[in-house]
Amino acid sequence: MAIEEVEVDGPVYTMEEALTSVGIGKFQYMILSYAGLGSISEAVETMILSVIGPALRSQWSLSPTQESLMTTVVFVGMLIGAFSWGFITDSYGRRKGLFCIAIVTSSCATLSTFSPNYNWLLAVRMVVGFGAGGGPVYGSWFLEFVPSQNRGMWMIIYAGFWTIGTILEALLAMLIMPRLGWRWLLALSSIPSFAALFLFVFTVESPRYMCARGRTRDAYDILKKIAVVNKTQLPPGKLVSSQVSEVHEELLSPGKFRVENLKSGFSSLLMLLSPALRRNTLLIWMVFIGNGFLYYGIILLTSLFSSGQCLHSSIALHMNDDQSLYTNVAINSLAEIPGTLLAAIMVDKVGRKFSTALMFALSFLFLLPLLAPQLPALTTALLFGARTFISGSFVIVNVYCREIYPTSVRSTGIGVATSVGRIGPMISPMVVVQLLRRCHQMAAIICFEAVLVLSAVGVMLFSVETKGRELIDTHVG
């Protein structure tokens, strides 16, 4: 199919040229702050069950399967949510999607605070997971306000808000759980999602999304506001919808596949699996599953060793008190700071593919000694290092996924990838908790190492390096 040609008199400029001209300034900082708030909310709601699980197990006399299920249902909700929100925001706009995500997450997070029993908590937290599953929309929305130069670094800065969320939740658990209990922790943890709802009034629609939908006049108005706030100027001439240029030929081959019209979420999914994108899509899904399994698996390892639930483990970290659990989880959460910083340094200098593969390899090396008995201090250090590199790989893969897809299906692409990736965290509790409870420590670590190898191979098979490439915009009629 041919792309619609736009004939205009006089000079013209594309969305990428417009964003480059207005540059990075106060407007993008405000957009980043709101998107970061959404990421903090997602991180907090995701992390919370790893710290309240032991308390609920004791209070409600839960079995290992019931305890694992509390984490699994959240990721089931996130799987459905990520899949759904991607379609919604590609069909109806980023801004409407952000509003609905904030409503669902904040309201259900509050309801979970008043859970009278296990089944109630299970059901409500699943809906919270559905809302939190829209987290990737915040990143896609922010990305579409950023020019291609140093785009990777800015997306890593955005990913740093997730790290802030995990650390805040761990510190909050240290302060709240021993004194006030899990209900207060759930209540205070809902503050970021409520803040995202109240501050929604200050958000604007993505100009890149509007331009991709053929609404160049509306897109121009937003770009004009950005230029005013940043105290810069738009290029002379008229804004036109970006066309697929030679720089994208490698990505769109074979078949030179083009899309003019996406009339439904189903057609968006078909595009992800088209001959042009199928290989990268399937590899991205595989890597997202692996990364999710590893990231949340390492969090569970720390939690289980610290809470004394693996009594015969040679590497148990617990000190026979609840405070040990919250302290070790907080220390392990700090590992995301160097991971994010390392990703920010490497992503635009080394490239997306090699950086991610290298981080998988380093994580492999840190987990390898845990096959044998280790001292508690060394175990803590090894888990810290493994989480450093897994968190770094996670944020870079998220950048790559958003860059590889056209604007018309970007939210769908990252949404579906995140949704499929939730299979990893759903499996993690079943594998990690069950194996460690039965004292099969070596088998659990071998599972981690195998997933790391498969994930690294998947990354190296990506067909395109997106470092320095302009984002693809396709006109939607």
Side-chain angles (χ1 to χ4, degrees), residues 356-399:
T356 307
L358 178 61
M359 289 189 176
F360 280 135
L362 291 171
S363 186
F364 180 97
L365 294 177
F366 270 90
L367 287 178
L368 195 60
L370 297 182
L371 289 169
Q374 304 294 338
L375 294 174
L378 180 57
T379 298
T380 300
L382 291 171
L383 289 174
F384 186 96
R387 184 163 175 181
T388 293
F389 296 111
I390 284 300
S391 62
S393 69
F394 215 137
V395 296
I396 296 177
V397 168
N398 270 273
V399 172

Side-chain angles (χ1 to χ4, degrees), residues 33 97 303 338 340 350 363 422 450:
S33 298
S303 178
T340 302
V350 180
S363 186
R422 299 303 179 191

Side-chain angles (χ1 to χ4, degrees), residues 394-408:
F394 215 137
V395 296
I396 296 177
V397 168
N398 270 273
V399 172
Y400 183 88
C401 183
R402 289 182 172 95
E403 293 175 329
I404 202 71
Y405 293 121
T407 299
S408 52

Side-chain angles (χ1 to χ4, degrees), residues 46-62:
T46 302
M47 286 285 297
I48 197 167
L49 289 179
S50 68
V51 292
I52 69 172
L56 291 172
R57 174 174 57 88
S58 175
Q59 180 176 333
W60 288 341
S61 301
L62 303 180

Side-chain angles (χ1 to χ4, degrees), residues 73-74 199 212 299 307 354 380 463:
V73 296
V74 173
L199 295 175
I299 292 173
S307 61
F354 183 76
T380 300
S463 65

